[in-house]
Amino acid sequence: MKKRDFLKLAAIASGMSSVAPTAMALDFGKMLGAGADLAKSANISDEELSAYFDQMTAQYDKQHKIADEKTPYGKRLQTLVKGLETEDGLKLNFKVYETPEVNAFAMANGTIRVYSGLMDMMSDEEIRYVIGHEVGHVKAGHTKARIQTAMRTSALRQAASATGGNAGLLAESQLGDLFEKVISAQHSQGNENEADDYAMAFMKRRNYDAKAAVSALEKLAKLSEGSSASWLSTHPAPSARAQRMKSQLG
């Protein structure tokens, strides 16, 4: 190496050590934190899982109009879920979002939210099937697997931020981002089948009308004709699912 090149490198190194040690330490700390988050995401505890979902529930409840228990929607739901406060080891809490959307969802912390648009188009027994279906997603571990995947993505974003990438850290929007990835993302056919199977067993175990599983899916299939309802964008092939449920009626 030529002497002038050596001196140039020495000057660069000296400048880095005198000007940017704090910044380098912070970036390295972020990268270590990202690595820890990534490793932790593969083994998330039930307590941590519940805490994440509690935060998502609180934020999403704030963003929607919740039907009071004294309103027609509130009264109807309370009648439908009487005796379902605990189900198959889960402690459940129910609310109605007053919105014309046709949808429902459940979280691993026992949150179940039913949209009034879905209640408008379905009978009581069909709503019970929907509740059983959503509980089925939780019992099968679908929501837990999704939040682990979302945490890995978050960790990768943190690492990218530490190295000057464009991913950036999520602040208040992180919960909304988690909701989209964990609750609102497209379900696989396999996951839907598992949740449907659970719902059918749920209907039979509770002595509800199991045929409602078929009629509910048939209504969703009809709704899918030329519709962009949020339920349809996250649940595949309701007509095929209806046929599958029909074969389990016995």
Side-chain angles (χ1 to χ4, degrees), residues 133 192-202 244-245 248:
H133 176 92
E192 287 301 277
N193 287 346
E194 283 187 89
D196 280 340
D197 290 345
Y198 182 94
M200 178 61 76
F202 165 82
R244 187 172 176 276
M245 287 293 93
Q248 295 186 22

Side-chain angles (χ1 to χ4, degrees), residues 49-62 64 66 77 81 84-85 90-97 104-115 130-139 143 179 183:
L49 183 70
S50 181
Y52 282 119
F53 281 111
D54 285 347
Q55 293 177 65
M56 281 193 285
T57 298
Q59 186 187 61
Y60 219 61
D61 281 354
K62 288 180 181 178
H64 291 81
I66 297 175
L77 183 66
V81 301
L84 295 180
E85 293 80 8
L90 295 175
K91 186 177 180 180
L92 305 176
N93 70 89
F94 302 87
K95 285 182 172 57
V96 179
Y97 286 165
F105 66 84
M107 296 188 190
N109 62 346
T111 292
I112 294 188
R113 300 294 181 260
V114 181
Y115 291 37
V130 170
I131 290 171
H133 176 92
E134 295 303 328
V135 173
H137 278 305
V138 175
K139 291 298 294 185
T143 51
F179 188 91
I183 305 299

